Amino acid sequence: METPLIKEKTTVILTKDHFNFLAAIFCFWFAFYIYAPVFGIYLQSIGFTFSAIGIIFGSYGITQILLRFPLGVLSDFLQNIRKLLLVAGFIAALLSNLILVYFDSFFYVLTARLLVGITASMWVMATVLYSQYFTADQASKAMGIIQFITVATQFISMAISGWLVHHLGWDFPFWVGAAASIIGIYFALNIREVKHNLISMPEKPVDYLKKTIKIPQLKMLTLLSLIAHAVLFITIFGFSPMYAAELGMKEQSLMWLTSAFFIPHSLASLSFVFLKLDRQYNKVVLAICFFLSACSLIAIPLTESIFHFNLMHIFIGLFLGFIFPILLGEVIHVSPTEYKMSAMGFFQSFYAMGIFLGPLIAGVITENSSLGTVFIFTGGIALFAVVLVLLFSRTKFDNSDA
């Protein structure tokens, strides 16, 4: 076995560096979540079918599937251009927003979403760069901060998007996203990178690939995250705003749906920064959260009021807010130190299949049935996740760093 990469940090990180990085993260997500809640309604308004909308929603995951794992595997080998790759992500977001401003054909809208997928793929670079601002034993804290900023940004951007459309027109959120991309490029270029002294050379990328795939439980954790992301992108980032519109909710009122989902979602994620859950209870919490999410999803077609629809999304947002940090933390724990970035790339790349397949299948179901059926289907895959957790309930999560 070849000697893994050993590094010594030589850069002093200041408070302003954290602020600059977190500002870049804010712009990163704001650039394309600013139009997320109204995007499906917009596509309906320009004549797209539910199947076409499902393909466009799902396409966001295609480039992530293709790019995130290779970027994770090559993380150490790309260390000299990590920041430039993050900047490239902002440029892709800028081009995507400009395409959406000037074009509305299926080909161009699909291209715009594929570009946004490239942007999201660079999240691997962001997590690697920011984790190096902390010591090894503070990795969970670093991920907790990033997760909270991510959720808070998504909430703020999605809360105001309906209001922007109502008062300033369909194109305005795309212009705002373009402006956020330009501001993000500025912050990304000014990110202070942590410099290291290289003591030995890393293994070849192919060795990282083979050993990453063999990490125990990584595949199971990734499959659970795939399902959770399918639920997320079918609901609040997909078909929930369209169902709300059928119930009579106006664009300017979508902030209530967004708030119902994201406030409990962000609070659940933030709780992991301050509270430490004993890992022996993680599978129990996962099973309970997936089960209650399924119950909430299946109940949605039975609701006839906007109030009850929003109430179900409070529960869905809360339970997903617990699921995501637990799965992310487990990936960090089960992965040997020298393979954490490769494992994270594998994890992010393959859960992106949920981002792609979930909306795609949901669009086909809606085209041939109804929007209500989509939520029953989504509840079904959440119940399948419960079965998966129970199948692994006799296997303890390992801690490869112990």
Side-chain angles (χ1 to χ4, degrees), residues 80-113:
N80 292 327
I81 60 170
R82 285 174 183 164
K83 188 167 79 169
L84 293 179
L85 287 171
L86 186 58
V87 172
F90 281 106
I91 294 173
L94 174 61
L95 292 175
S96 174
N97 278 291
L98 292 177
I99 288 173
L100 291 173
V101 168
Y102 291 108
F103 304 97
D104 60 5
S105 69
F106 178 82
F107 172 78
Y108 282 109
V109 173
L110 182 64
T111 300
R113 291 302 288 173

Side-chain angles (χ1 to χ4, degrees), residues 142-159:
M143 294 302 102
I145 293 172
I146 277 186
Q147 179 71 9
F148 176 71
I149 294 296
T150 297
V151 173
T153 304
Q154 291 170 346
F155 167 60
I156 293 169
S157 57
M158 293 179 68

Side-chain angles (χ1 to χ4, degrees), residues 124-137:
V124 176
M125 296 297 105
T127 54
V128 173
L129 287 167
Y130 193 64
S131 67
Q132 293 181 349
Y133 281 19
F134 298 81
T135 58
D137 61 342

Side-chain angles (χ1 to χ4, degrees), residues 177-196:
S181 302
I182 294 172
I183 296 170
I185 290 172
Y186 168 79
F187 282 118
L189 286 172
N190 285 280
I191 285 175
R192 180 190 291 264
E193 295 183 81
V194 175
K195 303 298 181 182
H196 296 90

Side-chain angles (χ1 to χ4, degrees), residues 256-381:
W256 298 113
L257 173 61
T258 304
S259 300
F261 183 93
F262 275 101
I263 290 177
H265 187 69
S266 60
L267 292 176
S269 298
L270 185 61
S271 69
F272 286 91
V273 177
F274 302 102
L275 303 176
K276 185 173 178 61
L277 177 68
D278 192 320
R279 291 184 61 229
Q280 67 177 319
Y281 300 117
N282 278 353
K283 286 187 177 179
V284 174
V285 175
L286 285 173
I288 291 173
C289 287
F290 272 118
F291 178 75
L292 295 176
S293 295
C295 294
S296 301
L297 287 159
I298 293 170
I300 285 178
L302 304 177
T303 62
E304 297 181 353
S305 70
I306 293 175
F307 172 79
H308 288 104
F309 182 72
N310 287 342
L311 181 63
M312 292 302 102
H313 279 76
I314 288 176
F315 297 138
I316 297 168
L318 177 67
F319 301 136
L320 288 178
F322 286 115
I323 289 170
F324 287 128
I326 289 176
L327 293 175
L328 183 63
E330 286 304 326
V331 172
I332 294 174
H333 281 294
V334 303
S335 306
T337 301
E338 62 270 30
Y339 300 113
K340 285 190 187 298
M341 292 305 104
S342 297
M344 190 60 66
F346 178 94
F347 179 71
Q348 292 187 9
S349 182
F350 284 95
Y351 77 50
M353 291 182 67
I355 299 173
F356 167 61
L357 292 174
L360 179 64
I361 296 171
V364 174
I365 291 173
T366 306
E367 190 74 24
N368 293 281
S369 182
S370 67
L371 273 172
T373 309
V374 165
F375 294 97
I376 296 175
F377 162 75
T378 311
I381 62 175

